[in-house]
Amino acid sequence: MVKNTCSVPGCDYPTRTPSVDLCGAHYERKRKTGSTSPEVPVKRLRTSCAVAGCDRRHESLGYCALHYDRLRKTGDVRAAVPPRIVRAVVRDDAGARWCHVCEQWLAEVEFDKANVCIRCRQVSNFGLNRLQWEAIFEAQGRVCAICSSDSPGGSGWATDHDHSCCPGSRATCGRCVRGILCSRCNTGIGLLHDDPEILIAAAAYVRSYREVKHHGEQPGSAGLHGGPRHSAR
Ligand SMILES: [Zn+2]
Ligand SMILES: [Zn+2]
Ligand SMILES: [Zn+2]
Ligand SMILES: [Zn+2]
Ligand SMILES: [Zn+2]
Ligand SMILES: [Zn+2]
């Protein structure tokens, strides 16, 4: 059954995540006002599931039908495990097909044999659905989060995540997606070990060379003198 309920007196909604002791509504209030004020009833604008990253419609106890069902059966919503949905092909009168993950009517070309649209399946390894992926991409202006290019090149847009967060598994937990990168930048930061120190050192190295060259000095001497000597604007 429900493992953790909200710690606010009189509130028996399940906690937002296993690591907090407040339900979604009280968590929001705490975040916004700094207090949970149990005497003030919270507005339960339950439109979507309380599981982080789950946009399915609210069904019961704060969860979508799928997560509620899982909670009932296992006593745990297992937020990190994307729900596996195997359901029948659903078509509307106009012939559009229903994606059971992003919950949208989509054209036939968006699907192959499965009942989940191709995009939803492609991004499911990152713990996202099509709409969540689109929202991330939209928020960064539909360009690479590093170089701002609008063409992905190579193998297409890469969903970059923090590899140190959930190592070993091919799928990510869904909470460590950093952004969408063009294939060049994605390969680039990977080759530099995803390491901010190395990336900064590489930038300083390239910049110092340019500075020196620009001022007509010997290339290669910059490194020996420890980086750029002219302030980089
Ligand atoms: Zn609560
Ligand atoms: Zn859910
Ligand atoms: Zn979909
Ligand atoms: Zn890029
Ligand atoms: Zn990875
Ligand atoms: Zn992760």
Side-chain angles (χ1 to χ4, degrees):
M1 282 312 291
V2 180
K3 266 187 183 158
N4 302 304
T5 53
C6 182
S7 65
V8 172
C11 178
D12 53 13
Y13 271 74
T15 59
R16 190 169 172 272
T17 63
S19 57
V20 299
D21 62 350
L22 296 171
C23 69
H26 281 119
Y27 179 86
E28 274 306 304
R29 173 177 291 175
K30 181 83 181 284
R31 202 174 61 83
K32 287 186 184 138
T33 70
S35 134
T36 52
S37 42
E39 59 285 350
V40 185
V42 281
K43 235 198 275 155
R44 297 239 175 242
L45 235 184
R46 285 258 173 245
T47 50
S48 66
C49 178
V51 172
C54 178
D55 286 338
R56 273 176 284 275
R57 226 183 35 252
H58 173 246
E59 177 78 20
S60 189
L61 271 181
Y63 297 109
C64 68
L66 240 142
H67 280 120
Y68 177 67
D69 190 53
R70 184 181 277 177
L71 178 74
R72 234 169 20 101
K73 285 184 182 144
T74 69
D76 182 356
V77 291
R78 287 182 294 156
V81 184
R84 200 178 292 282
I85 307 165
V86 186
R87 275 184 262 176
V89 173
V90 181
R91 276 198 177 79
D92 70 3
D93 297 340
R97 271 173 74 172
W98 181 251
C99 172
H100 291 293
V101 172
C102 63
E103 300 191 315
Q104 303 269 308
W105 293 104
L106 299 167
E108 189 69 40
V109 295
E110 306 277 359
F111 294 85
D112 47 23
K113 280 184 190 141
N115 298 320
V116 169
C117 74
I118 295 168
R119 276 308 282 159
C120 276
R121 240 191 19 253
Q122 286 171 341
V123 299
S124 67
N125 277 345
F126 306 106
L128 303 170
N129 69 32
R130 185 176 62 88
L131 299 178
Q132 291 164 335
W133 190 95
E134 282 294 324
I136 294 172
F137 197 41
E138 193 67 40
Q140 61 182 62
R142 306 196 75 81
V143 295
C144 172
I146 292 178
C147 72
S148 298
S149 167
D150 60 2
S151 91
S155 44
W157 293 113
T159 308
D160 174 51
H161 65 276
D162 180 3
H163 289 254
S164 63
C165 171
C166 31
S169 64
R170 208 166 65 84
T172 80
C173 65
R175 288 183 299 271
C176 53
V177 171
R178 293 185 293 208
I180 316 297
L181 299 178
C182 74
S183 56
R184 298 169 296 272
C185 290
N186 186 50
T187 306
I189 63 168
L191 289 174
L192 293 179
H193 308 286
D194 241 24
D195 182 335
E197 296 309 319
I198 295 177
L199 290 160
I200 289 167
Y205 167 79
V206 171
R207 186 169 278 163
S208 70
Y209 177 85
R210 282 190 184 167
E211 288 272 327
V212 169
K213 200 178 166 197
H214 178 74
H215 289 88
E217 292 166 41
Q218 285 287 310
S221 62
L224 303 173
H225 296 279
R229 355 164 156 180
H230 308 283
S231 61
R233 269 195 299 148

